[in-house]
Amino acid sequence: GVRVFSVGQIGDAGAEALGRALETNRSLRSLDLGGNRIGGNGVAALAKAFECGSPLSVLHLDRNRVGVDGCRALGLALTCTWCKLAELDLTGNSLQDQGLAFLAVGLGASKMERLLLRNTELSAAGMSALCDALVKCGTVRRLDVSDNSLGDLGVFPIAQLLRSGASLAELDLTATGVGAVGMKDLCSSLVTRPTDSLTKLNLGLNNVDDEFFAAVSAMVDANR
């Protein structure tokens, strides 16, 4: 079954103890540690459990202190052939582009289905590395990169990801600083993509104009 675990005051020491327990646990499938104080060392201990065969498929580390070192550990864990992690929530952590680059190394070989990266200090460079990895992965259905300063340059690799036939069903680009140029490229990718799997697209709080919405209308008409 699914179990949820979140105390609110867990730091690295607590995460390390939990990681040791997970190394031998074969029943826990979902772990929620959101809103704690877990840093790189604690994340590394949790990630080690995957190397020991943990069946964990859902891991929420939102609003912690994951950072670059934590991303490095998670990226390595995702390369394990027996890693079953399908949902990873890193919302509200300062990952930055360097951290995402480490995470992307493992994502390309993973079976990830839901990846939540809201407000993680990503930029266009980080999105390029992420989308390259997601093309290789091919299983991600939900991607949330809202509240990051991506700009038009950041949405270009996302548009290319959609053109590649990626299986994305939900994409959240809310408040990512994307303008008309980036939005037009995104619309073009939606019209020309080889599949119609995308069912939910959030574009709120971006720099768009009437011309963009006209392009969206045309895209919707073309895909009826």
Side-chain angles (χ1 to χ4, degrees), residues 70-206:
C71 283
R72 181 187 290 110
L74 289 170
L76 288 173
L78 289 171
T79 63
C80 296
T81 56
W82 48 86
C83 180
K84 294 180 173 60
L85 194 60
E87 177 172 321
L88 179 61
D89 188 351
L90 296 174
T91 295
N93 285 283
S94 179
L95 308 183
Q96 304 180 33
D97 292 337
Q98 183 181 2
L100 190 58
F102 284 123
L103 189 64
V105 171
L107 279 172
S110 75
K111 297 178 177 62
M112 191 68 63
E113 297 177 8
R114 296 170 295 279
L115 183 60
L116 311 179
L117 299 170
R118 178 184 178 189
N119 187 28
T120 48
E121 300 182 19
L122 305 182
S123 73
M127 283 308 306
S128 181
L130 173 63
C131 290
D132 285 346
L134 294 183
V135 169
K136 297 176 183 177
C137 174
T139 56
V140 172
R141 300 281 295 167
R142 180 185 176 192
L143 177 63
D144 183 349
V145 290
S146 59
D147 291 314
N148 285 293
S149 299
L150 304 182
D152 287 341
L153 290 178
V155 84
F156 292 154
I158 296 175
Q160 190 58 40
L161 172 66
L162 293 172
R163 290 188 182 96
S164 74
S167 58
L168 277 179
E170 298 183 29
L171 175 60
D172 196 337
L173 292 170
T174 303
T176 49
V178 183
V181 174
M183 288 298 185
K184 287 176 184 177
D185 191 43
L186 183 63
C187 279
S188 172
S189 71
L190 293 173
V191 172
T192 59
R193 69 188 311 234
T195 66
D196 58 356
S197 60
L198 193 67
T199 59
K200 185 175 182 180
L201 176 61
N202 293 331
L203 298 170
L205 302 178
N206 282 293

